[in-house]
Amino acid sequence: MPRKNALQAVQPVNGLFRALGVDAGTLPRARPFYRRLVEVIESGIARGAVAAGCRLPPERDLARALGVSRATIVSAYRELESRGLVRGYVGRGTFVSATPDAGSAPFAWRGKMAASALQATDTTVRDLVRAASDPALLSLAAGEPALDAFPVDAFQQAMNRALSTHAAVAWRHGPTEGLPSFRAALAHRFGGDPDHILVISGAQQGLDLLTRCLVDRGDAVILDRPGYVGAIQSFRNAGARLVGWDIVRADVDELEELLLRYRPKLIYTNPTHQNPTGITLPMRTRRELLDLAARYRVPIVEDDTYRELGLESAPPPSLFKLDDARNIVIRLNSFSKMLAPGLRLGWISAVGPIIEQLALIKQQIDPHTQNLVQLVVSDLVESGVFDRHLATLRGEHRRRRNAIVQAIRRHLPAGALRYQVPDGGMYLWCQLAPRLRARTVQDAAARESVIVVTGEPVYVDQAGASELRICYTSQPVPRADRIARTLARGVAAAAREARESGERPAMVRLV
């Protein structure tokens, strides 16, 4: 048995020096020896001979192989760690974490980053908003309302009034929970208790706060499948186990099975003009969902961002409103879709203890949301400008929806893109013919400076390869034909790719 252990110890040491391309026996023994060892290992990491994630030999094994004290190896590993090149884990060993930075930097910054921070690798949201801000691109990816319908003059007048009458309030610190006047305006217009509202810098901040407040690593979270990519990222980065509930079928019996199997910490859902499908859950399903949540004592986070963007009949009441006791549902909302994303203004409604805890968490990263924008939007809501704007916005969104649907019908053959015409929200949720790759359509469209998003990021289980989300509200009516022709060429490219790989997709014509 001792001989076997010795052999196991020698193997990783020999493997390291083979990778480094050096003979351990020929290493110069100049003092201090640990510095020479650091140089050799750092050089190997820099040229890629020892890759990130590689486990270095245990200190005792390497010391025995080199004929030096363990303290020498400890000093070498500590020096490498101080430079950000390796990281030691108690009970696991020492691992290569980064390559040396270029230039004169004495260590690699990536190796200094917290392990939890390095889990945030999905760039989808950042890519979407970056494309939306680039005037050279025609973006159908990020969810944006018709910004040319924004009430610029009314906003300017409201800002002037705020600065002439409440300048001190605008420029000084404000309550973490939000200005009392704004919270009162929100409660009056959208329902709830002003004392049970927390003002936030957009819905994404709200999701981050709720995740910090409610979710521990390893907790299960049930969320819409497909669902909002920002929610998926927030919960995933917190280490939650994500469980998808098919929002298209919205089978409550299936949901109950998930509750029994996974015992989730919470349910996240966007039940009204859902992102990305556009689905609105009917009243019966809403009540059954609330009954299940109450029976299993699982809170619901209701993303109510798209409620005001209905294009046909009014949707059923929110889960928050149907929760008469106000003790199960946490409501999340934002002005990003109703006014403009650049405002970065939203709110959370919940029971008092949750609002209190969220405010304690928020103060650590954002002592208070900008006062001036709260004053201005409060004025717009109280004066009636906001509701008149919504009426205008819905009309423009209806025209844009109809234009893109008609253009797709003109330029793409029947069945090339399957979708349900939504009665609200912002998106067309499109399915390609079987075996066609949405990524190919996306790439082809990008070459024509048209940006769409594929389905993969909105699933928790690697689905969505043949699905596309198109934000029809972000582009004016005259661009609909160009968009549809671009999509048609992208679908044709995907069909050619499938044929060349031996698949048999539905026939599509090149436009």
Side-chain angles (χ1 to χ4, degrees), residues 48-123:
V50 185
C54 177
R55 184 177 184 271
L56 296 182
E59 296 157 358
R60 283 191 175 87
D61 294 350
L62 186 54
R64 187 181 302 114
L66 293 174
V68 298
S69 71
R70 183 185 173 219
T72 298
I73 307 303
V74 169
S75 297
Y77 281 8
R78 285 180 178 173
E79 178 64 21
L80 290 166
E81 189 162 11
S82 74
R83 301 184 186 189
L85 300 176
V86 304
R87 177 171 293 169
Y89 298 90
V90 176
R92 293 175 52 203
T94 302
F95 295 81
V96 176
S97 57
T99 56
D101 286 337
S104 60
F107 52 80
W109 275 108
R110 186 170 179 82
K112 293 294 186 182
M113 296 179 187
S116 58
L118 294 175
Q119 293 179 1
T121 59
D122 188 341
T123 65

Side-chain angles (χ1 to χ4, degrees), residues 28-39 72:
R29 298 293 162 151
R31 295 179 180 271
F33 176 69
Y34 84 90
R35 289 186 179 173
R36 176 58 181 156
L37 184 58
V38 167
E39 292 173 2
T72 298

Side-chain angles (χ1 to χ4, degrees), residues 372-453:
L372 181 57
V373 72
Q374 292 184 63
L375 291 169
V376 172
V377 174
S378 180
D379 184 310
L380 297 179
V381 170
E382 292 174 330
S383 67
V385 169
F386 172 72
D387 282 302
R388 292 194 292 275
H389 163 68
L390 280 179
T392 301
L393 189 67
R394 293 186 192 108
E396 180 60 25
H397 284 183
R398 188 179 296 109
R399 284 188 287 275
R400 294 184 180 195
R401 178 200 62 183
N402 294 344
I404 192 65
V405 168
Q406 291 164 10
I408 288 173
R409 289 171 178 168
R410 282 195 298 272
H411 296 291
L412 280 89
L417 281 181
R418 294 179 291 109
Y419 54 87
Q420 294 290 328
V421 178
D423 61 359
M426 292 184 165
Y427 311 106
L428 282 184
W429 180 237
C430 303
Q431 290 78 41
L432 297 168
R435 296 174 296 280
L436 296 194
R437 295 176 64 250
R439 187 62 60 93
T440 303
V441 180
Q442 181 187 53
D443 291 344
R447 288 193 288 272
E448 300 185 31
S449 299
V450 175
I451 308 301
V452 297
V453 62

Side-chain angles (χ1 to χ4, degrees), residues 337-349:
K337 312 305 183 189
M338 298 182 285
L339 283 171
L343 296 176
R344 306 315 306 147
L345 187 63
W347 72 99
I348 295 172
S349 299

Side-chain angles (χ1 to χ4, degrees), residues 120-182:
T121 59
D122 188 341
T123 65
T124 301
V125 172
R126 186 181 66 181
D127 295 343
L128 294 181
V129 297
R130 178 188 293 157
S133 66
D134 188 342
L137 300 177
L138 196 159
S139 177
L140 306 166
E144 277 191 351
L147 294 179
D148 45 6
F150 185 85
V152 176
D153 292 340
F155 189 91
Q156 180 72 57
Q157 294 165 11
M159 185 167 64
N160 291 341
R161 284 193 294 272
L163 293 177
S164 63
T165 59
H166 303 293
V169 176
W171 304 135
R172 69 190 179 205
H173 285 299
T176 300
E177 294 83 357
L179 296 177
S181 59
F182 183 51

